[in-house]
Protein backbone atom coordinates (compact mmCIF):
# COMPACT_ATOMS: atom_id res chain seq x y z
CA UNK A 1 0.00 0.00 0.00
CA UNK A 2 0.93 3.65 -0.32
CA UNK A 3 3.08 5.12 2.39
CA UNK A 4 3.31 8.68 3.63
CA UNK A 5 3.97 11.06 0.78
CA UNK A 6 5.36 14.57 0.95
CA UNK A 7 5.65 17.34 -1.58
CA UNK A 8 7.65 18.96 -2.88
CA UNK A 9 10.65 16.68 -2.40
CA UNK A 10 12.97 19.68 -2.68
CA UNK A 11 12.32 23.38 -2.26
CA UNK A 12 14.74 26.26 -2.75
CA UNK A 13 13.50 29.66 -1.70
CA UNK A 14 14.82 33.10 -0.97
CA UNK A 15 15.06 34.51 2.52
CA UNK A 16 11.84 36.28 3.45
CA UNK A 17 9.56 34.22 1.21
CA UNK A 18 6.77 32.01 2.51
CA UNK A 19 6.76 28.25 1.81
CA UNK A 20 4.14 25.53 2.11
CA UNK A 21 5.03 21.90 2.61
CA UNK A 22 2.46 19.17 2.12
CA UNK A 23 2.00 15.79 3.77
CA UNK A 24 -0.37 13.03 2.70
CA UNK A 25 -0.56 10.47 5.51
CA UNK A 26 -1.36 6.81 5.15
CA UNK A 27 -5.10 6.41 4.60
CA UNK A 28 -6.96 5.86 7.85
CA UNK A 29 -4.15 7.06 10.09
CA UNK A 30 -5.52 9.43 12.69
CA UNK A 31 -2.28 10.82 14.07
CA UNK A 32 0.05 13.04 12.05
CA UNK A 33 3.39 14.47 13.13
CA UNK A 34 5.83 17.00 11.71
CA UNK A 35 9.52 16.83 12.57
CA UNK A 36 12.54 18.80 11.38
CA UNK A 37 15.95 17.28 10.72
CA UNK A 38 18.89 19.63 10.34
CA UNK A 39 21.99 18.43 8.49
CA UNK A 40 23.60 15.58 10.39
CA UNK A 41 21.29 16.04 13.35
CA UNK A 42 18.49 14.15 15.01
CA UNK A 43 14.83 14.81 14.49
CA UNK A 44 13.17 17.73 16.26
CA UNK A 45 9.45 17.54 16.99
CA UNK A 46 7.37 20.39 15.58
CA UNK A 47 3.64 19.65 15.81
CA UNK A 48 1.26 16.72 16.34
CA UNK A 49 -2.36 16.23 15.22
CA UNK A 50 -4.55 13.49 16.69
CA UNK A 51 -8.05 13.12 15.35
CA UNK A 52 -10.24 16.07 16.21
CA UNK A 53 -8.23 17.08 19.26
CA UNK A 54 -6.42 20.40 19.45
CA UNK A 55 -2.95 19.98 17.95
CA UNK A 56 0.15 19.88 20.13
CA UNK A 57 2.11 22.87 18.84
CA UNK A 58 4.73 22.79 21.57
CA UNK A 59 7.63 22.15 19.18
CA UNK A 60 7.06 25.00 16.76
CA UNK A 61 10.21 27.17 16.98
CA UNK A 62 8.55 30.51 16.29
CA UNK A 63 5.27 32.10 15.26
CA UNK A 64 6.50 32.02 11.66
CA UNK A 65 5.67 28.32 11.67
CA UNK A 66 2.12 27.04 11.46
CA UNK A 67 0.38 23.89 10.34
CA UNK A 68 -3.09 22.72 9.60
CA UNK A 69 -4.73 19.43 8.86
CA UNK A 70 -7.81 19.46 6.68
CA UNK A 71 -10.51 16.82 6.95
CA UNK A 72 -8.37 14.71 9.21
CA UNK A 73 -6.09 13.80 6.33
CA UNK A 74 -3.72 16.06 4.40
CA UNK A 75 -1.55 18.46 6.36
CA UNK A 76 0.26 21.61 5.31
CA UNK A 77 3.21 23.11 7.18
CA UNK A 78 3.68 26.80 6.42
CA UNK A 79 6.80 28.78 7.14
CA UNK A 80 6.42 32.53 6.76
CA UNK A 81 9.27 34.94 6.11
CA UNK A 82 11.78 32.11 5.81
CA UNK A 83 15.23 32.47 7.34
CA UNK A 84 18.44 30.67 6.45
CA UNK A 85 18.29 28.74 9.73
CA UNK A 86 15.01 27.20 8.53
CA UNK A 87 17.01 25.15 6.00
CA UNK A 88 16.46 21.51 6.93
CA UNK A 89 14.60 18.37 5.96
CA UNK A 90 10.99 18.52 7.09
CA UNK A 91 9.61 15.06 7.82
CA UNK A 92 6.02 14.03 8.23
CA UNK A 93 4.89 10.85 9.97
CA UNK A 94 1.54 9.22 10.59
CA UNK A 95 0.33 6.50 12.88
CA UNK A 96 -2.88 4.48 13.02
CA UNK A 97 -5.70 4.33 15.53
CA UNK A 98 -5.81 1.09 17.43
CA UNK A 99 -4.69 -0.78 20.46
CA UNK A 100 -1.29 -2.13 21.18
CA UNK A 101 1.88 -1.54 19.28
CA UNK A 102 0.20 -0.64 15.99
CA UNK A 103 -0.90 2.75 17.28
CA UNK A 104 2.59 3.59 18.44
CA UNK A 105 4.47 3.07 15.19
CA UNK A 106 5.15 6.27 13.32
CA UNK A 107 5.57 5.82 9.58
CA UNK A 108 7.70 8.52 8.01
CA UNK A 109 7.55 10.08 4.61
CA UNK A 110 10.68 10.81 2.54
CA UNK A 111 10.79 14.43 3.66
CA UNK A 112 10.97 17.82 1.98
CA UNK A 113 14.46 19.28 1.71
CA UNK A 114 14.18 23.02 2.20
CA UNK A 115 17.02 25.35 1.33
CA UNK A 116 16.69 29.03 2.14
CA UNK A 117 19.17 31.21 0.27
CA UNK B 1 13.71 17.34 30.78
CA UNK B 2 12.96 15.82 27.39
CA UNK B 3 16.46 15.00 26.16
CA UNK B 4 17.56 11.71 24.73
CA UNK B 5 21.33 11.32 24.54
CA UNK B 6 22.77 8.89 21.99
CA UNK B 7 26.31 7.57 21.59
CA UNK B 8 28.54 7.08 19.73
CA UNK B 9 28.01 9.59 16.94
CA UNK B 10 29.58 7.18 14.50
CA UNK B 11 31.10 3.74 14.45
CA UNK B 12 32.85 1.48 12.03
CA UNK B 13 32.49 -2.28 12.31
CA UNK B 14 33.76 -5.16 10.24
CA UNK B 15 31.30 -7.42 8.46
CA UNK B 16 30.14 -10.05 10.88
CA UNK B 17 30.89 -7.92 13.91
CA UNK B 18 28.56 -6.47 16.54
CA UNK B 19 27.41 -2.86 16.46
CA UNK B 20 26.31 -1.37 19.78
CA UNK B 21 24.56 1.97 20.15
CA UNK B 22 23.53 3.42 23.50
CA UNK B 23 20.86 5.89 24.54
CA UNK B 24 19.88 7.53 27.81
CA UNK B 25 16.67 9.35 28.60
CA UNK B 26 15.54 11.56 31.44
CA UNK B 27 11.75 11.62 31.45
CA UNK B 28 10.46 8.73 33.58
CA UNK B 29 7.01 9.13 32.00
CA UNK B 30 8.30 7.75 28.71
CA UNK B 31 6.94 4.28 28.01
CA UNK B 32 7.85 3.65 24.40
CA UNK B 33 11.39 3.31 23.03
CA UNK B 34 11.78 2.74 19.29
CA UNK B 35 14.85 2.57 17.11
CA UNK B 36 14.76 3.94 13.59
CA UNK B 37 17.05 3.24 10.63
CA UNK B 38 17.61 5.93 8.02
CA UNK B 39 19.34 5.63 4.66
CA UNK B 40 20.57 8.74 2.82
CA UNK B 41 17.76 10.64 1.16
CA UNK B 42 15.06 8.56 2.85
CA UNK B 43 12.81 9.02 5.82
CA UNK B 44 13.47 7.02 9.00
CA UNK B 45 11.94 3.55 9.17
CA UNK B 46 11.05 1.73 12.36
CA UNK B 47 13.52 -1.05 13.11
CA UNK B 48 12.46 -2.35 16.51
CA UNK B 49 10.76 -0.96 19.61
CA UNK B 50 10.44 -1.86 23.27
CA UNK B 51 8.15 -1.05 26.18
CA UNK B 52 9.58 -0.73 29.72
CA UNK B 53 7.91 -3.88 31.01
CA UNK B 54 10.56 -6.04 29.32
CA UNK B 55 14.35 -5.88 29.57
CA UNK B 56 15.18 -7.24 26.15
CA UNK B 57 13.57 -7.68 22.76
CA UNK B 58 15.07 -9.46 19.79
CA UNK B 59 14.04 -9.38 16.16
CA UNK B 60 16.37 -11.22 13.85
CA UNK B 61 19.85 -9.72 14.15
CA UNK B 62 18.60 -6.69 16.09
CA UNK B 63 18.24 -6.65 19.88
CA UNK B 64 17.15 -3.89 22.24
CA UNK B 65 18.34 -4.04 25.83
CA UNK B 66 16.46 -1.87 28.30
CA UNK B 67 17.51 -0.82 31.82
CA UNK B 68 14.65 1.04 33.45
CA UNK B 69 16.46 1.91 36.68
CA UNK B 70 19.37 3.43 34.78
CA UNK B 71 17.07 5.02 32.19
CA UNK B 72 19.20 3.58 29.41
CA UNK B 73 18.57 1.40 26.39
CA UNK B 74 20.76 0.09 23.65
CA UNK B 75 20.64 -1.44 20.20
CA UNK B 76 22.81 -4.39 19.30
CA UNK B 77 23.23 -5.35 15.66
CA UNK B 78 24.61 -8.88 15.47
CA UNK B 79 26.49 -10.23 12.45
CA UNK B 80 26.62 -6.73 10.94
CA UNK B 81 26.30 -6.60 7.15
CA UNK B 82 27.29 -3.89 4.64
CA UNK B 83 23.58 -3.33 4.00
CA UNK B 84 23.24 -2.27 7.64
CA UNK B 85 25.34 0.83 6.90
CA UNK B 86 22.93 3.63 7.77
CA UNK B 87 22.16 6.19 10.45
CA UNK B 88 20.36 4.84 13.50
CA UNK B 89 18.21 6.94 15.79
CA UNK B 90 16.87 6.02 19.19
CA UNK B 91 13.74 7.75 20.39
CA UNK B 92 11.57 7.87 23.47
CA UNK B 93 8.08 9.06 24.24
CA UNK B 94 4.66 8.28 25.54
CA UNK B 95 2.99 5.59 23.45
CA UNK B 96 0.91 7.12 20.70
CA UNK B 97 2.41 10.56 21.21
CA UNK B 98 5.30 12.65 19.95
CA UNK B 99 8.80 11.22 20.08
CA UNK B 100 12.04 12.74 21.34
CA UNK B 101 14.94 11.56 19.20
CA UNK B 102 18.60 11.05 19.95
CA UNK B 103 21.20 12.72 17.77
CA UNK B 104 21.83 9.66 15.61
CA UNK B 105 24.68 7.21 15.05
CA UNK B 106 26.20 6.76 11.64
CA UNK B 107 27.16 3.10 11.22
CA UNK B 108 29.56 1.92 8.54
CA UNK B 109 30.00 -1.81 8.05
CA UNK B 110 33.19 -2.65 6.18
CA UNK B 111 33.13 -5.74 3.96
Amino acid sequence: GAGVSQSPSNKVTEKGKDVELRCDPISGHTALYWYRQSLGQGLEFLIYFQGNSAPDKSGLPSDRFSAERTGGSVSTLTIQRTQQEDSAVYLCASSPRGAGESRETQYFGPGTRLLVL
Amino acid sequence: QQQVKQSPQSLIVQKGGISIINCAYENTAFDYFPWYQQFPGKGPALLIAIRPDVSEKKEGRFTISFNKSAKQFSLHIMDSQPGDSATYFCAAGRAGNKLTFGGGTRVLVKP
Side-chain angles (χ1 to χ4, degrees), chain A residues 11 21 36-39 44 84-91 112-116:
Chain A
K11 176 71 176 179
L21 312 179
R36 178 170 70 175
Q37 184 175 26
S38 300
L39 186 63
E44 172 191 8
Q84 288 182 333
E85 60 263 30
D86 298 336
S87 297
V89 177
Y90 289 82
L91 290 158
T112 293
R113 285 151 189 79
L114 174 66
L115 177 61
V116 182

Side-chain angles (χ1 to χ4, degrees), chain B residues 3-16:
Chain B
Q3 280 190 325
V4 175
K5 295 182 180 179
Q6 182 172 347
S7 63
Q9 287 186 316
S10 64
L11 69 91
I12 300 173
V13 62
Q14 291 294 129
K15 179 182 176 181

Side-chain angles (χ1 to χ4, degrees), chain B residues 74-92:
Chain B
S74 61
L75 176 69
H76 294 223
I77 306 173
M78 312 300 287
D79 186 26
S80 296
Q81 299 296 311
D84 297 333
S85 296
T87 300
Y88 294 82
F89 293 96
C90 64

